[in-house]
Every structure is written in structure tokens, then in C-alpha cells.
Amino acid sequence: MRHKFYLAGGIVLIVVVAGSVSATNTYEKKLLEQKVEFEGEVYGLQEKVTQLELRLQSLAEKNEQAEVSIKELQNRQVVRQKSQDELLTASVARTAPAVVSIVVSKDVPKLEVVYVNPFGDDPFFKDFGVKIPVYRQSGTERQQIGAATGFLITSDGYILTNKHVVADQLASYTVLLGSGEQKGAQVTYRDEAQDLAILKIEGNGYGTAALGNSDALKLGQTVAAIGNALGRYNNSVSVGIISGLQRSLEASGIKFDNVIQTDAAINPGNSGGPLLTLDGRVVGINVATVVGSNSISFSIPINFAKNILAEALGRNF
């Protein structure tokens, strides 16, 4: 309790102020409550600030990931914008050095012309002087009897082609490399049922064709064929699409199942050559064409050939 003194007309008045201590305590209590409330609000704000900082960090990480994704998409777009011509020329340039021409040669009878009397030794016609030309064998001579295509699958000189290309066991086979060099070749494997064969040439360090995955082919996909067209134009390139998959056909007494159909031009001499995708990988071995058709040709899937190669050479492809 506090006392206040007042002067009034010379009389001193003493006034007692009661209840002031109680009012002070109430005010302090309110201040304390406000302080606690304020501190609670500050803590809440700090929590919100912490949450915002975490969200900002998460957004920054997502933004970084988005930037990476954008760059990846931009790179993909650049790849997509590459023209088909550029992809095709790169594919051919990558594979062509591994494509070879196969020349088939054989000793054939050498014929000469002689003139004989068609009536033999009959004396009645002896003086008529009648002579007719007759061909007769005069030894043998080596001649080219065929030409086709193959491609190197190992750096030490193994070549994949069709069996019908090297079917004649009495013939000899010469390989013409992309460099122009000629090599004698030996047939090391013939698959009588599947029309595949393997040749071997001496040497090492040869460029090889990259083998792809024929199971991943899609209808409409662009492909290219490389081969010794007509046995005269080595490394000729023709372009087309995948026209059909898992086709069946019969050619020259051989039944083919699950072959690839393409409209890329395959001519005599192209047999045994590679069918390529635009990334330069071999997905088929060109084997047949429908005579008189409008670009209907067929290739043996490379995945099927891989199994035969692994068995024949003891290597994985």
C-alpha cells in the first residue's frame, strides 16, 4: 500500500491508495502471458522458416534435376534432328570395310573347235570336202563361275555368308577385301539346313562388322543392304524399310522360318551380305529375293546366326 500526501487549504490530507499492488501483479502477469505468446509465435515462425528452407532446398534439387533432364532432352533432340542421310552414310562407312566380295572359281573343260567330215571315213563322201565344226575338250581352265558377298565377323579372318554361295565343294573361293586386296579362302563350316556358311582367310587385324539385335526390329524401320550386286558392283548400297517380320518362305529347296522381309533391293550377288540398321549394326544376312516382285527380299535374322557362330567357332557374339 502506498500513501500520497496532498495539501488543501493548509490542511494536510493523507490519502491511502489501496489495491495498487494487486493491479501491478495483474499487469505483469499479462505481460508475461504476452511474452509467452510472442515467444510461441516466434518459435512457430522459426519452424515455418525451417520448413521453407527445406522446401527451397528440395526445389533447388528438383530444379537441378530438371536442368539435367532439359539438357538430356536437348541432346536427344539434336540426335533426332540428324538427317537420315547422315545416319545412313555413317552406318555404311562403319560397316563397308568389313564387307567382302566372294569370287567362286572352278576348273572347267577347255573346248576347241575342230572340223570333221560328217560322213566319217566313207570313201564315197571322201572327196566331197564336206567339213563341219565340232567342239572337243582340250584340257581344263580355271574360270569364275559365280560371285557373292560376305562380311568379316572376327579380326582374325572369319567371314559369314550363305551356304548356297559356297555349296560347290570342288570350287575354290577368293575373297576381295574392301582395300582391294585378294585372299584365298577356305570354307570351315556349312549349315545344310539353314543356308549359312563360314569362311576363313589368313591374317589378323581385320575390321569387323558390329552385330546388332534382330529381335528389336520394328516394322517400318529403315535398313540398308550392302553387297556385290550382280557379282560386278562390290559394296553396292540399297536402302529400304523392314516390311515384315517372322516370314516363312522356301527357296532352292530350303525352307526358311522367321526371316526378315525388306524392300531394300537385293540382287544376285548380294547373297551373304549384311542388312544394317541406321546405327551401323548388322541385323540380318541377305539371302533371297522374289523374282519379278516389286522389292520383296528376305534376310536371315542375325540373332539366329549368332547361335550357329557360337557353336561353330566356340565364341560368343
Side-chain angles (χ1 to χ4, degrees):
M1 179 180 295
R2 292 180 298 170
H3 297 81
K4 292 186 179 181
F5 300 89
Y6 295 89
L7 295 177
I11 299 174
V12 176
L13 298 178
I14 300 173
V15 180
V16 178
V17 181
S20 61
V21 172
S22 176
T24 301
N25 289 340
T26 301
Y27 180 71
E28 289 178 351
K29 183 179 180 180
K30 286 183 179 179
L31 287 177
L32 183 60
E33 289 175 351
Q34 289 177 355
K35 178 184 177 184
V36 171
E37 183 180 353
F38 179 74
E39 288 176 346
E41 291 177 355
V42 170
Y43 180 78
L45 289 173
Q46 289 176 341
E47 285 291 315
K48 290 181 179 179
V49 169
T50 301
Q51 292 176 3
L52 287 173
E53 288 176 345
L54 291 174
R55 289 183 63 185
L56 286 172
Q57 182 179 355
S58 176
L59 289 172
E61 292 175 353
K62 289 181 179 179
N63 183 55
E64 184 177 353
Q65 293 174 356
E67 289 179 355
V68 172
S69 298
I70 290 172
K71 289 180 180 179
E72 184 179 351
L73 289 173
Q74 289 173 340
N75 291 335
R76 291 180 181 178
Q77 186 64 22
V78 169
V79 171
R80 290 192 185 100
Q81 288 174 349
K82 270 192 171 184
S83 70
Q84 180 172 304
D85 286 346
E86 290 174 330
L87 293 172
L88 178 62
T89 53
S91 173
V92 171
R94 176 181 179 179
T95 309
V99 179
V100 302
S101 297
I102 301 172
V103 178
V104 186
S105 301
K106 192 175 183 179
D107 289 332
V108 297
K110 183 178 180 181
L111 300 178
E112 64 178 3
V113 179
V114 295
Y115 293 89
V116 299
N117 187 333
F119 304 106
D121 296 329
D122 190 327
F124 180 78
F125 296 100
K126 183 177 180 180
D127 297 329
F128 280 72
V130 178
K131 299 286 185 179
I132 60 173
V134 175
Y135 289 94
R136 69 180 181 187
Q137 182 175 344
S138 177
T140 60
E141 61 181 351
R142 179 60 58 94
Q143 290 186 4
Q144 178 178 327
I145 60 171
T149 309
F151 54 96
L152 284 152
I153 52 173
T154 68
S155 61
D156 57 346
Y158 282 99
I159 296 167
L160 182 62
T161 188
N162 290 134
K163 176 259 178 183
H164 72 259
V165 171
V166 293
D168 193 338
Q169 299 189 23
L170 298 179
S172 62
Y173 302 95
T174 303
V175 167
L176 178 63
L177 301 175
S179 62
E181 187 179 4
Q182 293 187 14
K183 294 275 187 177
Q186 300 296 321
V187 180
T188 62
Y189 178 86
R190 290 182 176 94
D191 191 306
E192 300 294 335
Q194 306 302 333
D195 202 18
L196 290 172
I198 301 171
L199 287 78
K200 178 70 169 66
I201 58 175
E202 295 298 324
N204 284 282
Y206 297 111
T208 61
L211 306 186
N213 179 13
S214 53
D215 290 340
L217 289 173
K218 297 180 180 179
L219 291 176
Q221 184 173 344
T222 301
V223 288
I226 305 180
N228 185 12
L230 302 177
R232 300 170 58 190
Y233 308 105
N234 61 309
N235 279 12
S236 295
V237 179
S238 59
V239 182
I241 63 170
I242 298 296
S243 307
L245 296 168
Q246 298 182 340
R247 300 297 200 205
S248 296
L249 74 147
E250 187 170 345
S252 301
I254 301 174
K255 185 177 181 180
F256 298 93
D257 294 315
N258 300 322
V259 293
I260 302 165
Q261 180 186 339
T262 177
D263 66 354
I266 296 177
N267 300 294
N270 281 99
S271 289
L275 185 71
L276 309 174
T277 55
L278 289 182
D279 62 353
R281 295 187 175 275
V282 179
V283 290
I285 305 100
N286 302 322
V287 67
T289 189
V290 178
V291 178
S293 69
N294 186 15
S295 298
I296 300 178
S297 301
F298 300 94
S299 300
I300 300 171
I302 195 63
N303 284 10
F304 179 79
K306 286 179 184 178
N307 296 329
I308 292 177
L309 292 174
E311 180 181 348
L313 301 180
R315 310 182 192 183
N316 292 323
F317 290 87

